[in-house]
């Protein structure tokens, strides 16, 4: 079933990791659409995964001379989605104008392939850490979740659960209180003030201390926090982005960035993140209602839920319907 959401259909949605798309085309489900993602000498491309001739999945085909070749009768499509060769047709005969597949916006950025079902004019989220000198970035995901994207994103923006769900890792049970903070409108979206969190070992030195989280909401399904150590000035950020795969399943990905050397390999960093995510997953998969209530009277919020409240207001303003109520 296709997910009808006019707002999300015009967003850049994460399709897969960039390293998953090599010479073979791959199939990805985005908002219930079957999409083929493939790479040519010019970069990456995404089409509806459906051949106009007899409905074959183009993702079972191959890439030849910069064209996507259908696995069934070998019709060839160029990067715009136009059919440029039909082997069964006599050479002097023109290719029918209707021989075309739907091409979507497709870009490779930040270690991922992004697809925009509605074109390519949607704004990108700001990610200054990625461009900044001296930062290291680790791509994380995919992680499949049986929940709708807004619940998953809000869990990432939720500061109060750190010392509960992630006790011993991202918080400690003796420091569950959250001090007051505000959230502000910025040109890109919403940003929180720094929120003080006491963590058992924030930098791997074994020393428990306070760190400061700033949450940023810049797109409906892509958010970020930056964690700052006031003593050392070290920063670490995690960008989270979620793909609505189909009506039951979403897929989360992230970029974990460090302004310093954390002394860990990429796989140690992603394993830690997998472990943290595994703690959140059962909670998120069992929240009711599954759709995030945008009416703030429906659930009971505290002052410390200001980031979540801002996220709900933001989704409401944008008119996001999928996964909201
Ligand atoms: S189904 Fe694609 S070429 Fe025939
Ligand atoms: Fe969490």
């Amino acid at each position: 079933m296709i997910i009808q959401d006019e707002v999300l259909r015009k967003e850049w949605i994460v399709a897969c990791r960039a390293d998953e798309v090599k010479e073979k085309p791959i199939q990805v489900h985005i908002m219930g659409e079957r999409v083929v993602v493939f790479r040519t000498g010019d970069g990456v491309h995404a089409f509806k995964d459906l051949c106009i001739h007899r409905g074959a999945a183009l993702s079972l085909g191959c890439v030849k001379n910069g064209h996507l070749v259908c696995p069934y009768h070998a019709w060839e499509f160029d990067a715009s989605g136009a059919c440029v060769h039909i082997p069964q047709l006599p050479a002097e005969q023109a290719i029918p104008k209707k021989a075309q597949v739907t091409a979507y916006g497709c870009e490779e950025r930040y270690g991922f392939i992004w697809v925009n079902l509605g074109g390519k004019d949607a704004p990108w989220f700001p990610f200054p850490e990625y461009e900044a000198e001296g930062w290291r970035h680790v791509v994380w995901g995919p992680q499949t979740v049986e929940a709708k994207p807004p619940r998953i994103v809000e869990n990432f923006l939720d500061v109060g659960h750190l010392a509960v769900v992630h006790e011993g890792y991202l918080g400690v049970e003796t420091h569950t209180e959250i001090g007051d903070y505000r959230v502000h409108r910025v040109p890109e979206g919403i940003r929180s003030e720094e929120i003080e969190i006491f963590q058992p070992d924030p930098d791997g030195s074994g020393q428990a201390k306070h760190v400061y989280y700033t949450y940023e909401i810049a797109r409906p399904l892509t958010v970020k926090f930056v964690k700052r150590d006031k003593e050392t000035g070290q920063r670490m950020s995690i960008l989270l982005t979620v793909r609505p795969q189909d009506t039951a399943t979403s897929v989360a990905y992230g970029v974990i960035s460090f302004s310093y050397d954390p002394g860990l390999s990429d796989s140690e960093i992603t394993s830690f993140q997998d472990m943290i995510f595994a703690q959140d997953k059962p909670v998120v998969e069992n929240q009711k209602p599954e759709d995030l209530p945008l009416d703030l009277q429906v659930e009971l919020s505290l002052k410390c839920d200001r980031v979540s409240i801002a996220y709900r207001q933001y989704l409401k303003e944008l008119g996001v319907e999928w996964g909201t109520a």
Side-chain angles (χ1 to χ4, degrees):
M1 203 176 96
I2 302 297
I3 295 172
Q4 302 291 355
D5 186 303
E6 288 319 306
V7 176
L8 296 182
R9 287 185 78 86
K10 293 190 188 116
E11 286 289 323
W12 288 107
I13 305 282
V14 64
C16 56
R17 299 167 64 108
D19 58 17
E20 289 176 79
V21 189
K22 303 201 171 86
E23 53 292 327
K24 279 274 309 150
I26 68 159
Q27 186 183 71
V28 187
H29 287 85
I30 303 175
M31 297 182 68
E33 298 272 8
R34 223 167 61 160
V35 176
V36 51
V37 177
F38 64 102
R39 191 183 286 282
T40 66
D42 307 335
V44 289
H45 315 275
F47 294 166
K48 195 181 192 69
D49 194 9
L50 184 73
C51 181
I52 182 122
H53 179 218
R54 285 295 176 266
L58 295 165
S59 54
L60 296 174
C62 62
V63 178
K64 203 176 85 185
N65 304 325
H67 299 152
L68 182 61
V69 185
C70 180
Y72 200 179
H73 309 95
W75 290 20
E76 290 184 27
F77 300 89
D78 71 9
S80 75
C83 183
V84 291
H85 182 59
I86 296 182
Q88 294 78 20
L89 213 56
E92 64 280 4
Q93 222 163 298
I95 290 168
K97 280 221 166 54
K98 266 187 71 185
Q100 178 96 29
V101 292
T102 306
Y104 302 124
C106 187
E107 278 202 36
E108 182 168 354
R109 273 193 198 211
Y110 315 128
F112 297 106
I113 310 293
W114 304 83
V115 169
N116 192 320
L117 298 174
K120 9 177 137 257
D121 297 331
W124 285 92
F125 47 86
F127 194 1
E129 293 80 7
Y130 205 86
E131 327 294 341
E133 193 85 359
W135 283 67
R136 171 173 162 207
H137 308 280
V138 180
V139 169
W140 170 80
Q143 280 285 348
T144 300
V145 193
E146 301 299 312
K148 293 185 181 153
R151 283 286 192 193
I152 303 167
V153 173
E154 192 184 83
N155 165 262
F156 182 85
L157 298 171
D158 182 291
V159 65
H161 84 293
L162 295 178
V164 182
V165 175
H166 309 299
E167 207 282 327
Y169 298 100
L170 303 182
V172 289
E173 62 185 358
T174 49
H175 292 70
T176 46
E177 264 180 47
I178 308 293
D180 204 15
Y181 68 89
R182 315 217 142 252
V183 292
H184 299 291
R185 287 277 162 170
V186 289
E188 309 81 39
I190 290 154
R191 182 178 301 143
S192 77
E193 289 175 350
E194 285 192 324
I195 308 171
E196 188 178 78
I197 301 166
F198 190 74
Q199 294 191 330
D201 185 17
D203 56 9
S205 66
Q207 174 85 49
K209 60 172 140 178
H210 286 105
V211 287
Y212 296 83
Y213 273 51
T214 304
Y215 290 92
E216 296 173 21
I217 303 167
R219 301 308 318 158
L221 302 184
T222 307
V223 297
K224 193 178 79 185
F225 74 74
V226 182
K227 175 168 101 174
R228 185 167 77 96
D229 182 326
K230 278 191 182 168
E231 286 165 26
T232 61
Q234 290 175 338
R235 283 166 198 262
M236 181 256 195
S237 80
I238 301 186
L239 179 114
L240 174 89
T241 188
V242 180
R243 176 172 86 249
Q245 179 163 269
D246 52 42
T247 51
T249 311
S250 306
V251 189
Y253 296 82
V255 184
I256 307 163
S257 309
F258 301 88
S259 73
Y260 60 98
D261 176 11
L264 298 166
S265 67
D266 285 10
S267 76
E268 286 170 320
I269 291 164
T270 51
S271 300
F272 180 80
Q273 202 55 36
D274 286 345
M275 184 271 294
I276 294 295
F277 198 74
Q279 295 179 324
D280 286 312
K281 201 171 143 159
V283 175
V284 173
E285 288 186 332
N286 288 287
Q287 277 177 288
K288 296 284 176 200
E290 289 97 332
D291 292 331
L292 192 71
L294 302 189
D295 175 349
L296 300 178
Q297 303 310 314
V298 171
E299 292 182 325
L300 178 63
S301 297
L302 299 177
K303 260 188 179 177
C304 68
D305 296 318
R306 277 199 168 113
V307 179
S308 309
I309 293 166
Y311 178 58
R312 292 178 184 205
Q313 289 169 331
Y314 176 77
L315 293 182
K316 190 167 188 170
E317 277 169 33
L318 290 181
V320 173
E321 291 177 353
W322 178 245
T324 67

